[in-house]
Amino acid sequence: MKTFLTFIFVFGLIVLIHEFGHFILAKRGGILVREFSIGMGPKLFYHRHNGTTYTVRLLPVGGYVRMAGEGEDETDLSPGMPLSLELNDQGEVIKINPTKKVHLPNSIPVELISCDLVDELYIKGYENGDETKEKTYPVNHDATIIEEDGIETQIAPRDVQFQSASLSRRIMTNFAGPLNNFLLAIILFMIVAFMSGGTYTSDPSNTIGAVIENGAAHEVGVKPGDKIISVNEVKTPSYEDIVKNVSSNLGNSVPVVVENDKGEQRSLTLTPKKSDDDPNRGVIGVQMNTIFEPLSFMGKIKYGFTETANNSLMIFKALGDLITGFSLNKLGGPVMIFKMSESVSNSGIIAILSFTAMLSVNLGIMNLIPLPGLDGGKLALNAVEGVRGKPLSQEKEVMITMVGVVILVGLMVAVTWNDIHRFFIQ
């Protein structure tokens, strides 16, 4: 349960903050946000305020923002469909109900002939199904429509659609999600610094900071403060050298030379075990030595920015490594996040906040990759529009986005299956 709650907190927070960035910039730019959802899947309840329907859904993982003009916005209304219409005192349609799941009191039943809810804003139909009573109803600009799942959302006239906003507004709205992830990381790293009173700086030397119980190193008597001089007869002057030589020897007995704090050396033999994070990698159950550095008030503020920058550089380095040698094992999805949540959930709130900040930076950068379907892909299309002086046709944008979505979904499925296989099947 602790792992599950940690996963929900971490994954939910970074996605919600990301979507809130899109939400707030869209609202400020005059773009209609039809729905802001907390969670995914079937709705539990909803509330409408200021043109936006706020929903809480069953699966408490992340959320999304549905802006007018992006994707399929409207419930499909076709000729012959029975509707019930609610009118205001001026005779304008203020609520459209095409579903039988919801009953509107004091509404007018209409058999639809034609309608336009984008430009001309009208509904033409036979009142009470009587073909001798054809009538055209003006539709209020802020009218709502009840969707198939019973949620009431606002219609999307042309002037409040995403594509009607200026190019600069659309760029800011697309960039706001990743920006919010960076801001979240900065704030969380600051909180970590204030909670701990300072920061722990990693010691890159071969001095061991901690030895994990029941790990390979613990079983042969390695203690915190010991130095690992060599692994498999290869000198290891840094912690990175230790990791490199151990990881490639999963399941193999390797000779190790260890030196204690008195300078006494001893030769040991240990067998690297399977890593929890990557079953193809060997580990001996040691952790890097860290040095605590107290920070001033301004130092703690600065730490939020510097640690976010350091994590960004690490992610860019990992992306470069992925390009030069692609492997699904270098990627991770929700399953990997769940497994990592299992580790940090037992390490206290500071570890959880640091983990959340790191993942927030990761999500921000990954979303800026210029692939269709990601925010970076949308920004790339914005750049093309800026150069051309006009946007691509809607058909081309939809086609490009669909190709990107298919690629992303395929990659997500492959990564998820690979994570399930290496963590639960092997």
Side-chain angles (χ1 to χ4, degrees), residues 40-78:
M40 308 291 282
K43 70 172 173 55
L44 297 178
F45 61 90
Y46 72 92
H47 173 71
R48 290 194 70 253
H49 178 71
N50 196 23
T52 299
T53 301
Y54 299 87
T55 58
V56 175
R57 296 182 177 271
L58 180 62
L59 303 176
V61 180
Y64 62 85
V65 168
R66 186 153 58 108
M67 289 180 272
E70 286 202 316
E72 294 294 327
D73 287 311
E74 303 291 356
T75 299
D76 185 31
L77 301 181
S78 55

Side-chain angles (χ1 to χ4, degrees), residues 13 75 77 144 147 167 178 213 217 275 367 399 405:
L13 180 62
T75 299
L77 301 181
T144 60
E147 300 182 328
L167 177 60
E213 189 174 354
S275 168
N367 258 282
M399 183 177 65
V405 168

Side-chain angles (χ1 to χ4, degrees), residues 65-347:
V65 168
R66 186 153 58 108
M67 289 180 272
E70 286 202 316
E72 294 294 327
D73 287 311
E74 303 291 356
T75 299
D76 185 31
L77 301 181
S78 55
M81 175 182 288
L83 307 175
S84 56
L85 307 178
E86 187 175 309
L87 310 181
N88 61 15
D89 294 338
Q90 289 74 44
E92 297 176 321
V93 176
I94 58 172
K95 192 173 295 186
I96 306 163
N97 180 21
T99 175
K100 296 180 180 179
K101 295 180 179 179
V102 177
H103 173 69
L104 296 181
N106 303 318
S107 61
I108 301 172
V110 171
E111 182 183 326
L112 181 65
I113 297 174
S114 64
C115 68
D116 185 344
L117 303 180
V118 176
D119 295 307
E120 298 182 30
L121 301 182
Y122 76 89
I123 290 177
K124 181 186 293 185
Y126 299 118
E127 192 171 300
N128 294 309
D130 187 346
E131 295 188 4
T132 64
K133 294 183 179 180
E134 180 181 312
K135 189 170 181 178
T136 299
Y137 302 88
V139 177
N140 186 276
H141 181 277
D142 299 326
T144 60
I145 186 168
I146 298 175
E147 300 182 328
E148 188 62 33
D149 60 359
I151 290 181
E152 182 181 345
T153 60
Q154 191 165 317
I155 64 170
R158 181 85 57 192
D159 63 301
V160 294
Q161 291 191 8
F162 182 80
Q163 289 299 332
S164 297
S166 67
L167 177 60
S168 61
R169 287 289 188 185
R170 283 181 277 135
I171 290 174
M172 288 189 292
T173 300
N174 287 330
F175 182 67
L179 176 62
N180 257 24
N181 283 125
F182 298 132
L183 293 176
L184 174 64
I186 290 169
I187 293 170
L188 289 179
F189 280 130
M190 285 182 186
I191 292 173
V192 166
F194 276 100
M195 289 181 68
S196 60
T199 179
Y200 287 90
T201 303
S202 298
D203 178 4
S205 74
N206 58 0
T207 301
I208 301 305
V211 180
I212 299 173
E213 189 174 354
N214 299 323
H218 178 265
E219 291 173 352
V220 296
V222 177
K223 295 181 173 21
D226 286 349
K227 294 182 178 180
I228 297 182
I229 305 301
S230 68
V231 175
N232 205 22
E233 300 181 350
V234 177
K235 291 185 178 180
T236 53
S238 70
Y239 186 82
E240 185 177 354
D241 293 322
I242 298 171
V243 172
K244 180 180 178 181
N245 286 281
V246 165
S247 62
S248 59
N249 282 289
L250 173 63
N252 299 322
S253 295
V254 292
V256 174
V257 176
V258 176
E259 181 180 287
N260 62 22
D261 55 2
K262 297 178 182 179
E264 301 169 342
Q265 294 188 359
R266 62 190 189 278
S267 297
L268 306 169
T269 300
L270 49 73
T271 304
K273 299 181 179 181
K274 182 169 60 176
S275 168
D276 289 337
D277 296 334
D278 185 353
N280 297 312
R281 183 169 63 88
V283 294
I284 57 174
V286 296
Q287 294 178 347
M288 182 182 286
N289 189 38
T290 55
I291 303 170
F292 180 76
E293 294 182 0
L295 293 174
S296 65
F297 179 85
M298 288 308 299
K300 293 168 186 174
I301 298 294
K302 182 181 177 182
Y303 178 78
F305 292 90
T306 56
E307 195 65 11
T308 299
N310 291 337
N311 274 268
S312 299
L313 290 175
M314 289 173 57
I315 294 167
F316 281 121
K317 182 179 178 181
L319 284 173
D321 184 50
L322 182 65
I323 293 171
T324 56
F326 180 82
S327 170
L328 286 177
N329 288 332
K330 296 179 181 179
L331 297 171
V335 174
M336 175 173 278
I337 295 175
F338 184 84
K339 288 295 293 183
M340 295 175 73
S341 298
E342 186 177 25
S343 300
V344 301
S345 64
N346 295 316
S347 302

